[in-house]
Amino acid sequence: MDTAAFSAWIREFARLVGQNKDYLTELDSAIGDADHGANMTRGLNAVVKMLDEEKPDTPSALLKRTGMTLVSTVGGASGPLYGTAFLRMAAAAGDAETLDDGTFAKMLRAGLDGVLARGKAQLGDKTMVDALTPAVDALDATLAAGMPFPDAMQAALRAGEEGRDATVPLVARKGRASYLGERSAGHQDPGATSVTMLLAAAATTLTA
Ligand code: ADP
Ligand code: MG
C-alpha cells in the first residue's frame, strides 16, 4: 500500500460520507443534534482539497495532514476523535513509503487506541468504538489465520457492520446521545455508522 492507495482510501471515505450525508444527519437527529453528516462532510471536503493542493508524499504525511485537517474543520465530538485516530495511524505508519497488510492492521489498531484514549468510551457505550473495535479485532484475527488482505478487510468490514447494527438497542453512555439516557435505545449510532464507511472505503481501495 503506497501513498496513492491511501489517498484513494481517504477520497473514497469522503465520497461515501458525502453520499450518505443526509442519512448520517437523520441518525444524529434521533439521538444527537443532527450535525454528524454535515460535520463529517465539511471535514472530508476540506481533506480532499488538502490532498489536491498539498499532495502529501508518504502514507504517514497524508494521514497526519488528514487528521490535522479534520481536527481543525469538524466541530463536535467526531472531529477530535477521527482526527486523533488519523494522527495515531500516521505515527504507526512511520517513515515507510509502502506498508504491508500487517502494518496496516497495526495502524488501524493504533487509531482505535487513540479514539479510546481521547474519548474514554468503552465497548458497548454506543459510540464509534462499537464498530471500530470488532473490525480491528477481525482484521488481526483473519490476517493471523493467513487470509489474504482483501478477504481479511471484507471480514473486518462485516464485523464493523455487525458492531454498528448492535448499537441500536444500546443505551448511550458517552457523547450527546448519553443526555437522552434510556431514550437513546432503539436508534443506530451515527459515529459507528460513519466508521463502517471508513472500513468500506478501505475494503474497496486497499488491496495490499
Ligand atoms: P457531536 O456529538 O458533538 O454533535 P457528531 O454528531 O459529529 O458530534 O458525532 C457524534 C458521534 O461521535 C456519536 O455518534 C459517537 O459515535 C461519537 N462519540 C461521541 N462521544 C464519543 C466518545 N467519548 N468516544 C467515542 N465516540 C464518541
Ligand atoms: Mg452531533
Side-chain angles (χ1 to χ4, degrees):
M1 300 169 202
D2 58 7
T3 308
F6 281 96
S7 178
W9 176 31
I10 303 304
R11 288 171 188 275
E12 177 61 5
F13 179 38
R15 193 188 69 79
L16 288 173
V17 166
Q19 196 176 58
N20 291 285
K21 181 182 171 190
D22 293 345
Y23 174 54
L24 291 172
T25 288
E26 193 186 302
L27 293 174
D28 197 33
S29 71
I31 55 170
D33 55 355
D35 64 356
H36 190 58
N39 283 343
M40 294 299 294
T41 301
R42 182 173 59 252
L44 287 164
N45 283 345
V47 167
V48 168
K49 187 161 178 280
M50 175 281 291
L51 292 174
D52 287 342
E53 287 171 3
E54 298 181 19
K55 302 182 176 53
D57 60 359
T58 62
S60 181
L62 185 149
L63 294 164
K64 184 174 176 189
R65 290 292 298 128
T66 296
M68 291 169 70
T69 304
L70 290 175
V71 169
S72 63
T73 56
V74 181
S78 56
L81 291 165
Y82 269 106
T84 301
F86 280 106
L87 292 175
R88 294 285 186 99
M89 285 194 259
D95 293 335
E97 299 277 337
T98 62
L99 273 68
D100 60 17
D101 48 11
T103 310
F104 179 77
K106 284 199 187 102
M107 229 185 69
L108 211 57
R109 183 166 294 281
L112 167 62
D113 288 344
V115 172
L116 292 170
R118 178 97 198 200
K120 309 265 186 290
Q122 291 181 354
L123 199 60
D125 283 352
K126 198 180 182 94
T127 71
M128 56 176 75
V129 168
D130 294 342
L132 197 50
T133 302
V136 170
D137 287 347
L139 187 62
D140 280 347
T142 50
L143 288 176
M147 198 181 271
F149 183 82
D151 300 336
M153 198 57 232
Q154 282 296 336
L157 169 59
R158 278 195 300 278
E161 289 171 342
E162 282 166 20
R164 170 200 67 198
D165 294 347
T167 63
V168 174
L170 296 175
V171 172
R173 291 202 199 81
K174 280 280 180 281
R176 281 180 194 280
S178 67
Y179 307 160
L180 289 180
E182 299 287 332
R183 280 179 295 139
S184 62
H187 302 280
Q188 185 173 306
D189 181 62
T193 308
S194 59
V195 161
T196 62
M197 295 169 194
L198 180 70
L199 299 168
T204 52
T205 57
L206 302 174
T207 48

